[in-house]
Amino acid sequence: MSPRKVCLLAGGVGGAKMAEGLAAHDDVALSVIGNVADDDSFHGLWVSPDIDTLTYSLAGRIDRAQGWGVADEGHRALETLDLLGAETWMSLGDRDFGLHIHRTMRRGRGDRPSDIARDVARAFGVKPAILLPTDDVVQTRLRTTDGRWLSFQEYFVRERCAPEIREIAFSGMDMARPTPEALTAIAGADLIVIAPSNPLVSIAPILGIPGIGEALRAADAPKIAVSPFIAGKVVKGPADRMMAALGLRADALGVARRYRALADRLVIDHADAALGAEIAAEGPAPQCSDILMKTQADKARLAREILDLAFAPVEAVA
Ligand code: GDP
Ligand code: CA
């Protein structure tokens, strides 16, 4: 049988874990639509953290302890920048710098960001397609309770998610155009998976690109989301505090509400089984599993369960 076409919507660390799980299966042809809204310029270089986390993870080059960045990394370039008086709160390693230099050079000569991401992934030996939702610049902006607008990295890295958030906006979103690759992957998918990524700053800026949300709603494929919350807590990152600050429930039910118009099913942790009835009332059918992915085996097992949810009922008969 030809492989199932799976299209995954993914942010950085949580998204990459799900991507690795799906990529572990030979009966899957995987396309990952990543998030570009964390992108920013540092030291004159264009950095695309979530896309690089996907690339490094799927290439087996990720720093497993951190979940991001390259393994066996050094920071001598950053030391030089520090000596020269540059702001160095954004941790960028030496190996990583090489990729940012290359990306920036190619963007400067007018290459499409999607083509660059594709070529980089290919050079790193990544088999799944890593797709951008847009080739335009769309950036997350967060307004704090003290009235400042911060870029995502200023909030996340420089200020360590300390400020409370009042509002999230995406600059450039209105004018952004979807990439034909993303639209084709969505329309042609046998299964669409929404990774356990931050709903507000990883998945929202993908869904918000004009044309992407419509394409998802028009797609025939089953749509299965995985909760980034387990027992009312995030595995890491600020999604819990962001959701709470915006008056949303910071748990699997809050995730169900975010994805009610999109997901047919929501995979939640066994620990959240008690939320099942309320989740079902929102729309997505809840499915309990172990959704903490620590090892490669965990990732592959969860991915297999998702594939079975989508495809097994028919195959079981055959
Ligand atoms: P970022 O761009 O690096 O912040 O990564 P994502 O947005 O893709 O993922 C962040 C989310 O992943 C957080 O809300 C975490 O709770 C969630 N996450 C991380 N690891 C796991 C895991 O093993 N299982 C589940 N269910 N969620 C996870
Ligand atoms: Ca991110």
Side-chain angles (χ1 to χ4, degrees), residues 256 260 263-265 278-286:
R260 76 205 304 174
D264 312 311
R265 289 175 181 270
E278 282 176 282
I279 289 171
E282 294 294 336

Side-chain angles (χ1 to χ4, degrees), residues 44 72 93 132 187 208 250:
D72 184 30
L132 308 190

Side-chain angles (χ1 to χ4, degrees), residues 46-48 52 99-107 116:
W46 194 255
V47 178
S48 192
D52 291 350
L99 172 46
H100 307 319
I101 291 167
H102 179 78
R103 173 189 291 121
T104 306
M105 180 273 298
R106 287 194 55 183
R107 289 176 72 106
I116 304 170

Side-chain angles (χ1 to χ4, degrees), residues 93-242:
D94 299 336
R95 294 179 187 278
D96 196 30
F97 261 117
L99 172 46
H100 307 319
I101 291 167
H102 179 78
R103 173 189 291 121
T104 306
M105 180 273 298
R106 287 194 55 183
R107 289 176 72 106
R109 79 181 187 208
D111 289 354
R112 285 174 73 222
S114 289
D115 290 346
I116 304 170
R118 180 201 59 209
D119 295 345
V120 167
R122 199 171 281 165
F124 274 90
V126 171
K127 252 181 65 193
I130 296 180
L131 308 178
L132 308 190
T134 181
D135 285 321
D136 298 317
V137 175
V138 171
Q139 289 174 305
T140 297
R141 295 278 178 258
L142 304 129
R143 187 165 64 87
T144 63
T145 43
D146 55 8
R148 296 177 301 152
W149 280 102
L150 301 178
S151 74
F152 183 78
Q153 302 303 343
E154 285 169 343
Y155 166 75
F156 190 70
V157 181
R158 190 184 69 194
E159 311 210 2
R160 297 171 196 282
C161 308
E164 183 145 346
I165 295 306
R166 268 282 158 73
E167 184 183 351
I168 302 174
F170 302 107
S171 70
M173 184 70 92
D174 294 351
M175 301 296 284
R177 291 148 300 172
T179 60
E181 290 91 340
L183 294 178
T184 301
I186 293 168
D190 299 312
L191 167 64
I192 293 167
V193 179
I194 304 171
S197 291
N198 186 317
L200 300 177
V201 292
S202 291
I203 301 298
I206 301 174
L207 300 179
I209 302 293
I212 296 274
E214 291 82 343
L216 286 164
R217 280 187 287 278
D220 293 330
K223 294 158 198 128
I224 302 179
V226 182
S227 172
F229 287 89
I230 299 175
K233 292 195 172 61
V234 285
V235 179
K236 69 191 274 287
D240 50 351
R241 288 189 307 116
M242 284 183 162

Side-chain angles (χ1 to χ4, degrees), residues 215-294:
L216 286 164
R217 280 187 287 278
D220 293 330
K223 294 158 198 128
I224 302 179
V226 182
S227 172
F229 287 89
I230 299 175
K233 292 195 172 61
V234 285
V235 179
K236 69 191 274 287
D240 50 351
R241 288 189 307 116
M242 284 183 162
M243 299 269 285
L246 297 183
L248 307 168
R249 272 188 65 142
D251 62 5
L253 179 57
V255 175
R257 287 183 178 151
R258 292 286 302 178
Y259 298 147
R260 76 205 304 174
L262 189 62
D264 312 311
R265 289 175 181 270
L266 178 65
V267 183
I268 61 173
D269 199 82
H270 288 295
D272 292 312
L275 292 172
E278 282 176 282
I279 289 171
E282 294 294 336
Q287 179 72 33
C288 289
S289 179
D290 288 320
I291 63 168
L292 182 63
M293 295 175 276
K294 282 194 176 155

